Amino acid sequence: MDVGKATPIVSVKPIVLPAPDRGVDVRVRVSAPVTGHDLPIVVLSHGFGSSLDGYGPLADYWAAHGFVVIQPTHLDSRTLNIPPDDPRTPRIWRFRVEDMKRVLDQLDLLEAAVPGLAGRTDRDRIAAAGHSFGGQTAGNLLGLRVIDPETKQGEDLSDARIKAGVLFATAGLGGADLSPFAAEHFPFMNPSFADMATPALVVAGDQDDSPLTVRGPDWMTDPYFLSPGDKSLLTLFGAEHSLGGIPGYEAKETTDENPGQVALIQRVTAAYLRHALGIEESSWQQEQKALRDSPLGRLDVK
């Protein structure tokens, strides 16, 4: 598979986006190839507790293969150390979505902060990606709705600027599928995928046995099976929640370190993004063919 040769990248952090309604400004990292024009954009939402410094195996690879990768630090980051009883905590999930939209609103500022990047992005080719909690955040931009437990309604927070998504280890249905702990502490884990129509690749580990659900690893495939439109599902054999090690090169939360699977994820996601954003098709077709007999994982497309 060929998504192009890796090129040197530049990464700038922190770029600060003013956010007076948030209590603290949004700190952002931007990574981009040093050459090339009409570069597509990926806005990457980190998992609970991480920050703009996480997910190097994804951000570096995507940037080296032609994408501008933008990583905001959300309020739940350990770097901010907001206590559980903070009044913003019940709306943490919503602040995350607002962070992503703020990034999209401030692309001029972000481009200008990276030497040599201004004028080199393609604003018509933007994708959202996220791992774990970040998967739900990215999903909101694709049409996922968080259902209020009392009103049974979910607000449409989708964004037409987002043309595709990649959801890693993303939570499935709420309600009876949640563990008692999750039901008590995370009421926002009550998604509906019925309106998540934007094309997306869902990545799940078949050993991702989350304490947040009573169902088992198949819970993480709900975003694929329960959403309409063009969707793909990459199932990684033997992978747990860190999917072989995508949260970072030395992330302590990685319990299933597998460099081969991380390399597979890098190639497949880059190929998928090039396909879904209308850049080129051949690398995605080659990855589908290669995965028919792979010991590392399986790819389903609907």
Side-chain angles (χ1 to χ4, degrees):
M1 192 282 296
D2 182 17
V3 292
K5 294 181 180 179
T7 61
I9 67 173
V10 59
S11 185
V12 176
K13 67 167 188 177
I15 306 169
V16 179
L17 301 182
D21 55 331
R22 187 178 180 263
V24 60
D25 292 337
V26 184
R27 293 162 64 89
V28 181
R29 179 183 189 130
V30 178
S31 303
V34 298
T35 59
H37 292 274
D38 299 321
L39 303 172
I41 297 169
V42 182
V43 187
L44 175 56
S45 178
H46 63 71
F48 183 84
S50 189
S51 72
L52 57 76
D53 288 315
Y55 300 91
L58 296 177
D60 292 349
Y61 186 90
W62 291 342
H65 290 82
F67 296 89
V68 175
V69 184
I70 304 176
Q71 298 174 261
T73 294
H74 300 303
L75 286 177
D76 56 86
S77 173
R78 287 183 293 269
T79 64
L80 297 177
N81 200 30
I82 292 176
D85 60 353
D86 187 282
R88 290 167 290 182
T89 297
R91 293 188 69 250
I92 283 284
W93 73 271
R94 184 66 178 266
F95 278 112
R96 282 173 146 266
V97 181
E98 292 168 3
D99 293 345
M100 301 285 273
K101 295 193 176 194
R102 195 182 305 270
V103 162
L104 296 175
D105 292 340
Q106 298 292 332
L107 288 176
D108 286 343
L109 187 155
L110 292 169
E111 278 191 30
V114 180
L117 183 59
R120 293 172 51 217
T121 63
D122 185 344
R123 304 285 181 89
D124 293 324
R125 289 189 166 105
I126 305 177
H131 174 244
S132 193
F133 198 0
Q136 176 174 298
T137 303
N140 285 126
L141 300 181
L142 308 179
L144 179 157
R145 300 190 184 192
V146 174
I147 305 301
D148 185 283
E150 294 183 4
T151 66
K152 309 301 181 186
Q153 300 296 312
E155 184 180 353
D156 180 10
L157 299 175
S158 62
D159 195 303
R161 291 171 291 187
I162 299 296
K163 301 301 193 294
V166 183
L167 308 184
F168 299 94
T170 300
L173 291 178
D177 289 353
L178 293 181
S179 65
F181 175 83
E184 178 182 355
H185 292 92
F186 307 119
F188 56 83
M189 293 185 69
N190 195 24
S192 167
F193 303 101
D195 298 290
M196 198 178 81
T198 304
L201 169 64
V202 176
V203 184
D206 70 359
Q207 299 299 311
D208 187 358
D209 203 1
S210 173
L212 302 177
T213 182
V214 297
R215 269 177 49 193
D218 74 298
W219 187 54
M220 303 287 182
T221 65
D222 284 357
Y224 171 75
F225 286 106
L226 301 180
S227 62
D230 296 332
K231 297 292 186 296
S232 300
L233 172 65
L234 175 61
T235 303
L236 296 164
F237 303 149
E240 299 174 14
H241 198 59
S242 292
L243 302 173
I246 64 169
Y249 296 110
E250 299 174 354
K252 64 181 180 180
E253 56 260 45
T254 296
T255 56
D256 58 340
E257 188 168 354
N258 188 327
Q261 283 189 330
V262 173
L264 176 68
I265 290 170
Q266 290 170 329
R267 295 195 314 271
V268 172
T269 54
Y272 174 78
L273 288 166
R274 291 171 68 86
H275 150 75
L277 294 175
I279 298 168
E280 58 89 19
E281 289 290 329
S282 61
S283 56
W284 177 237
Q285 293 169 357
Q286 291 175 42
E287 284 297 347
Q288 292 182 72
K289 183 177 180 181
L291 276 160
R292 289 172 190 160
D293 301 304
S294 174
L296 295 176
R298 181 183 72 249
L299 187 63
D300 297 295
V301 177
K302 70 170 186 173

